[in-house]
Amino acid sequence: MSSAAPQRLYVPADSGALSVGAGQVARAIQSEAARRGLALDLIRNGSRGLYWLEPLVEVATAAGRVAYGPVRAQDVPDIFAAGFLAGRPHRLGQGLTAEIPYLAGQERLTFARMGLGDPLSLEDYRANGGLAGLERAIGLSPDQIVQELTASGLRGRGGAAFPTGIKWAKVRETAADRKYVVCNADEGDSGTFSDRMLMEGDPYCLIEGMAIAALAVGADQGYIYTRSEYPHACRTLGLAIERARGAGLLGPDVLGSGHAFELELRLGAGAYICGEETALLESLEGRPGLVRAKPPLPAVCGLFGRPTLVNNVISLASVPIILSKGAAFYRDYGVGHSHGTLPFQLAGNIRRGGLVEKAFGLTLGDLLYDYGGGSASGRPIRAVQVGGPLGAYVPESRFDVPLDYDAYTRMGAMIGHGGIVAFDDTVDMREQARFAMEFCAVESCGKCTPCRIGSTRGVEVIDQLAADPEGNLALLEELCETMTDGSLCAMGGMTPFPVLSAVRHFPEDFTAARESGDSREPV
Ligand SMILES: Cc1cc2nc3c(=O)[nH]c(=O)nc-3n(C[C@H](O)[C@H](O)[C@H](O)COP(=O)(O)O)c2cc1C
Ligand code: SF4
């Protein structure tokens, strides 16, 4: 063995990276190093979010971290031979990680630590700015913490974009013998993965955000509700909660503040509706995920009938930086009433899929072309579904609209949780509209008629379009109006968004001519 200090390397243990072979790459690096008699300090970090480069191997050098990717296990002997441990050039070399344009152009606030160190090391967490928010919050009164959140302009990142400070104030001012903080980590939206990435790559950030929320609203118990399809996130969070408890970050006296806060992880079976906050609370209480009528709001009467703060992972994980750097720092990012940043998730038919955290105000075009590099197929991008399965399809003519909550509302779309799913010009928008109705029929909790029956009728009407295009389109519009106006929750209420946006922006796909097949010339 060499007597020099072990060379530090990073190979992500994020599920996205593991799914393309990061585990095999890590093992291949260990065995090649052993064969060469080299000592390595191999850290399994979170993903940098440059998914098209995964597995992304990084080497610490005097000049900074140098990246190689996408590395396959069979490439490992070759990169060793090329001198990658010294950061030397190789065909898979990407240069200094921090200078890769996809990363360098981002404004990482919530994801500032992502990929930097070992997600489970509290030392790494602290060294990279962790716990500064909680330490400051402990010195403030609960009202001051809520005021700070309100002043930051943070709005819920789970989908509805409700002002976070207002929700916190409601839970704070509601008197009760017990209050809860619940993290909505169900992340059922198509094409989204920011919650999972954060839980796997920076779990203490979520725990810190929840502890601050608990101090502010007066809760002593928290739950993270996630899905069993996220086994790596569950394992990492479980270990992080244990270590946080051991370090006094959770427990009877959070960091010596005199406040108690306990945290538990709960797994759902993966029903989309269990992401809706009241169905989630039902599921947490051990019942099927049926939506509750509102009012009362969960902030007043939530889990076990007590005031409950329900926030998304990204909302809660944005809290530590707001507290540590101050409301004004966060508020200064963004445009109009959309303050701060959003981790957009590029997915679908896109060349460079991954996570792009940027201040509100950039355009879909910026994301799709500057970051995403256009479609993976090389064909023109025709439609983009923004904001998950209840989000509208945005046509190319609107790619220049700023990603700002209000601008999107004005054009009949929503930003939601920041999921961006791209489709090229081979997409059949009638099929996409049908899929939206079918998804609603499958995932509906069944509590109200417009959604339960309306979605099934919606599939039938779309299937019968060819028989009477004009009449059935009118019927579809009327059905959508009934679902919008009469549904108890946004599942039935917003399914018309993807359906009607497809009809309005791509009418040619709903005519008989398009029925006979795609007449477009291949590019
Ligand atoms: C059908 C449906 C599914 C939802 N799924 C999620 C989800 O997976 N994650 C989430 O945070 N919010 C989801 N929401 C929104 C939640 O009901 C709620 O608004 C959110 O958890 C509040 O947190 P926030 O204010 O931090 O966004 C969903 C809503 C609906 C109607
Ligand atoms: S809209 Fe659908 S999911 Fe929501 S309560 Fe009604 S049936 Fe349930």
Side-chain angles (χ1 to χ4, degrees), residues 29 78 322 339 423 429 476:
I29 288 174
D78 200 40
I322 290 171
H339 298 282
F423 296 83
M429 295 307 294
L476 185 62

Side-chain angles (χ1 to χ4, degrees), residues 12-22 45-56 69-71 100 102-103 106 108 111 114 187 191-201 230 344-348 350-356 371:
D14 166 278
S15 348
L18 292 175
S19 72
V20 287
N45 59 338
S47 171
R48 297 283 198 155
L50 284 63
Y51 274 126
W52 87 99
L53 287 179
E54 293 288 4
L56 184 79
V71 178
I100 298 174
Y102 197 94
L103 199 55
Q106 298 196 29
R108 289 210 167 172
F111 278 70
M114 187 53 61
E187 195 163 61
T192 62
F193 46 83
S194 61
D195 293 354
R196 179 193 55 70
M197 260 187 81
L198 192 119
M199 292 188 285
E200 292 178 358
Y230 278 2
F344 294 97
Q345 301 126 84
L346 295 189
I350 195 87
R351 201 151 73 86
R352 296 195 292 253
L355 182 126
V356 179
Y371 287 91

Side-chain angles (χ1 to χ4, degrees), residues 94 136 145 177 180 249 257 339 449:
Q94 304 292 334
R136 177 165 172 245
I145 303 175
D177 59 342
Y180 298 102
L249 181 53
S257 64
H339 298 282
T449 315

Side-chain angles (χ1 to χ4, degrees), residues 203-234:
Y204 295 122
C205 182
L206 175 58
I207 294 172
E208 183 182 355
M210 290 186 76
I212 296 170
L215 288 181
V217 303
D220 64 356
Q221 177 68 46
Y223 294 97
I224 300 173
Y225 182 94
T226 188
R227 47 181 57 230
S228 50
E229 289 101 319
Y230 278 2
H232 297 103
C234 294

Side-chain angles (χ1 to χ4, degrees), residues 272-273 276 278-279 289-293 440 443-453 455 483 486-495:
Y272 183 67
I273 197 58
E276 193 283 334
T278 63
L290 282 185
V291 171
R292 296 178 183 171
C440 182
E443 298 289 342
S444 165
C445 85
K447 187 153 179 169
C448 66
T449 315
C451 168
R452 185 184 70 247
I453 307 290
S455 51
M483 289 176 72
S487 295
L488 187 58
C489 84
M491 178 82 209
M494 291 182 62
T495 291

